[in-house]
Amino acid sequence: MSAPSPLVTAPDGPAPEAPARTAPSVSARSLRLALCLAPLLIALCWAAAHRPVMYEGVRRLVSADPRWLLAGLGCTCLTWVAASCVRQGALPDRLPAGLLLASQFAAGAANHALPGGLGAHAVTVRFLRARGVPLDRATASIGLYSLVKGASKTLMLLVFLAVSPASRRLGELVPDGPELVPAAAVAGGVVTGAGVLLTVVRPLRRPVTGLLRTALADVRVVHARPCRALALWGGAVAMPLVQAGALGCVGAALGLGLSWAEVALAFLA
């Protein structure tokens, strides 16, 4: 018989510790701080270059009606609530309400630094990724959010134009036929170029078609749930109204003499 193998004993001393996370380097922290302070620095430079405008604006704000300014602040807070409703309605996953509202506050702040809503979309995608939402579904929700928001704003503009006395003068704003030819040519060229790229370039076609399939699947799921559909479309309709309300409250506080309907029509247009 062979002798039994000796027992393996643990070595003396403390157990080895798990490797600690490496802290960000000093250069990375400095770059992050510089990026955070860049919008503030740009705003200060603009204010210094336009001192008369800033002085007149501050003077008028000091003499403004504080009650209307407070109402405008309330409408501004409601825009974050409406944006949160649309973001939640564009995604089948359940998101924590408090964190979602905080993310839309941060998204609104980022929109002041990047044009065309890019700042808000970037912050929202980062928030969704942190909540475990895959990148393709997060991107699809951004597309649905933008589509529904644009459609609702256009619908509200048409409603305001239909009931506004200014609708009788809209014929003066419509361009003539020859002026529409270049715009139609550019639009047709863009659509044709995108179709050719998707047809010829296979590495580009695969992710785009996958994103479209994900987006269509999420659209079906969202509209199959009445609470999600109500949050999506109700928030999209309410958002331009509360934004126009904030602008109208500021106008009333400064004594501009414009009605809320006139301010809303100008904002939507």
Side-chain angles (χ1 to χ4, degrees):
M1 285 179 67
S2 59
S5 60
L7 295 176
V8 179
T9 58
D12 296 335
E17 296 181 356
R21 276 187 192 173
T22 57
S25 62
V26 177
S27 59
R29 290 198 299 267
S30 301
L31 178 61
R32 184 179 301 175
L33 180 62
L35 290 176
C36 292
L37 294 179
L40 179 61
L41 181 60
I42 294 173
L44 291 176
C45 292
W46 185 92
H50 300 80
R51 287 188 298 273
V53 176
M54 292 297 299
Y55 173 77
E56 180 64 19
V58 171
R59 187 187 67 80
R60 296 199 66 180
L61 281 178
V62 170
S63 60
D65 190 342
R67 294 169 297 180
W68 278 113
L69 290 181
L70 187 61
L73 178 61
C75 290
T76 302
C77 296
L78 288 178
T79 60
W80 305 327
V81 177
S84 300
C85 290
V86 185
R87 298 287 187 188
Q88 177 62 88
L91 196 69
D93 306 71
R94 180 69 178 175
L95 299 173
L99 291 178
L100 179 59
L101 184 61
S103 73
Q104 294 314 293
F105 173 79
N111 251 1
H112 293 292
L114 294 176
L118 293 178
H121 294 333
V123 170
T124 301
V125 168
R126 182 177 176 86
F127 168 72
L128 295 179
R129 296 289 290 124
R131 302 305 305 175
V133 179
L135 181 59
D136 56 346
R137 298 187 60 241
T139 308
S141 73
I142 295 296
L144 179 58
Y145 171 91
S146 302
L147 181 63
V148 171
K149 183 180 175 183
S152 300
K153 193 171 184 180
T154 303
L155 177 63
M156 296 306 299
L157 175 60
L158 294 177
V159 170
F160 271 86
L161 286 176
V163 301
S164 172
S167 60
R168 293 191 294 268
R169 301 196 304 269
L170 290 180
E172 305 172 2
L173 302 177
V174 179
D176 297 331
E179 297 178 359
L180 294 176
V181 174
V186 171
V190 170
V191 173
T192 304
V196 170
L197 283 176
L198 292 178
T199 303
V200 175
V201 184
R202 183 182 296 272
L204 182 62
R205 182 169 71 247
R206 185 173 300 171
V208 171
T209 54
L211 179 62
L212 289 177
R213 282 196 297 267
T214 302
L216 291 176
D218 281 358
V219 166
R220 287 194 295 267
V221 173
V222 163
H223 286 86
R225 303 177 183 178
C227 58
R228 288 287 193 274
L230 179 61
L232 179 64
W233 289 98
V237 170
M239 189 182 300
L241 296 180
V242 294
Q243 288 173 331
L247 192 59
C249 290
V250 174
L254 298 176
L256 296 184
L258 296 174
S259 65
W260 180 81
E262 293 171 329
V263 174
L265 178 60
F267 172 78
L268 291 170

